[in-house]
Amino acid sequence: MFKLITNSLRKRAKVILILLPIILVSDQLWAKSSKLLILGDSLSAGYGLTQAQSWVSLLQDAWQKSDITVVNAAISGETTDGALARLPRLLTQHTPSHIYVELGGNDGLQGHSVTKMRDNLRQIVKLSQESGATVILQEMQIPTNYGRRYTELFTKAYGTVARERDVTLLPFFLAEIALNDELMQSDGIHPNAKAQPMIAKSMQAALGPLIN
């Protein structure tokens, strides 16, 4: 009887030893598949707000009990040039599985070449995909006083990159908010604290299904 019990325990121990690495690898893959990197500018960095007020911080709070980790790498004033230069280090440091790219607004406001901006966005998406991450591209818009031709070329650049690199393109997330003075800061460019929960809610609805 003792031998039978001992043999049974040994068999169970072998099964556990075999399954343990599989379980650990599965956990690691699941953890990796749940990390979202925000690569953006002041609209995602929370310009003019406290960190806790920003929509990214509110999104982190909403997903606190989920399996989605949010890493905010947005910087106020960021351009596609700057983000492209920072990207390799961010990919190595955070190994995200999903990247939300919210860039180009500053390129447009500074009158940068649309062709250069588009090429930068294309390269950002390409490098992210090569790292194994799924990219979600945010369409951006700029004020119409930059001229019809420039603003049209600017907006079309996002659709072009999304089609070429086969990534999800989200419609401009401030389309309605930007038209409401009560939801904007005095500069007319950045949403105020009142608008942040609205943005967080819409982004949770848009990004959640794409990540899960």
Side-chain angles (χ1 to χ4, degrees):
M1 179 63 69
F2 178 77
K3 289 183 178 180
L4 289 174
I5 294 174
T6 302
N7 289 336
S8 177
L9 290 174
R10 286 177 178 173
K11 289 179 179 179
R12 291 181 181 179
K14 288 180 180 179
V15 171
I16 292 172
L17 289 174
I18 292 172
L19 292 178
L20 186 57
I22 297 175
I23 293 172
L24 291 175
V25 170
S26 297
D27 286 344
Q28 290 172 356
L29 289 175
W30 176 250
K32 181 180 179 181
S33 68
S34 307
K35 184 178 289 187
L36 172 67
L37 177 71
I38 307 290
L39 187 65
D41 53 31
S42 56
L43 297 179
S44 296
Y47 174 86
L49 308 167
T50 65
Q51 182 177 351
Q53 289 175 319
S54 71
W55 73 263
V56 176
S57 181
L58 296 176
L59 183 64
Q60 289 174 317
D61 292 341
W63 281 341
Q64 190 173 11
K65 295 183 180 180
S66 75
D67 294 302
I68 302 174
T69 300
V70 180
V71 177
N72 193 0
I75 297 178
S76 293
E78 185 68 292
T79 62
T80 56
D81 278 327
L84 179 57
R86 291 194 299 128
L87 183 59
R89 179 180 60 81
L90 290 172
L91 292 174
T92 300
Q93 181 180 358
H94 300 291
T95 59
S97 65
H98 294 76
I99 299 180
Y100 168 71
V101 180
E102 179 270 301
L103 292 165
N106 288 312
D107 295 62
L109 293 177
Q110 296 171 21
H112 291 184
S113 164
V114 173
T115 300
K116 179 65 179 303
M117 183 197 75
R118 185 184 62 226
D119 290 344
N120 285 342
L121 287 173
R122 184 185 291 118
Q123 188 65 10
I124 287 171
V125 174
K126 182 174 181 290
L127 289 176
S128 299
Q129 290 175 325
E130 289 176 348
S131 76
T134 298
V135 180
I136 303 161
L137 182 61
Q138 176 66 71
E139 179 189 87
M140 301 299 291
Q141 295 181 8
I142 55 174
T144 56
N145 59 354
Y146 281 77
R148 181 177 177 180
R149 175 174 170 76
Y150 185 82
T151 54
E152 286 183 353
L153 289 173
F154 178 89
T155 302
K156 287 181 180 179
Y158 293 89
T160 298
V161 173
R163 288 191 299 272
E164 290 179 353
R165 300 304 306 176
D166 191 23
V167 298
T168 298
L169 178 65
L170 298 182
F172 185 47
F173 68 141
L174 300 181
E176 296 183 6
I177 290 175
L179 299 176
N180 189 338
D181 291 340
E182 294 184 358
L183 299 177
M184 299 296 290
Q185 296 183 40
S186 59
D187 60 12
I189 297 176
H190 300 92
N192 59 26
K194 185 178 179 181
Q196 299 303 308
M198 299 170 59
I199 300 173
K201 185 176 181 180
S202 66
M203 295 309 296
Q204 182 178 3
L207 297 174
L210 296 175
I211 297 173
N212 290 325

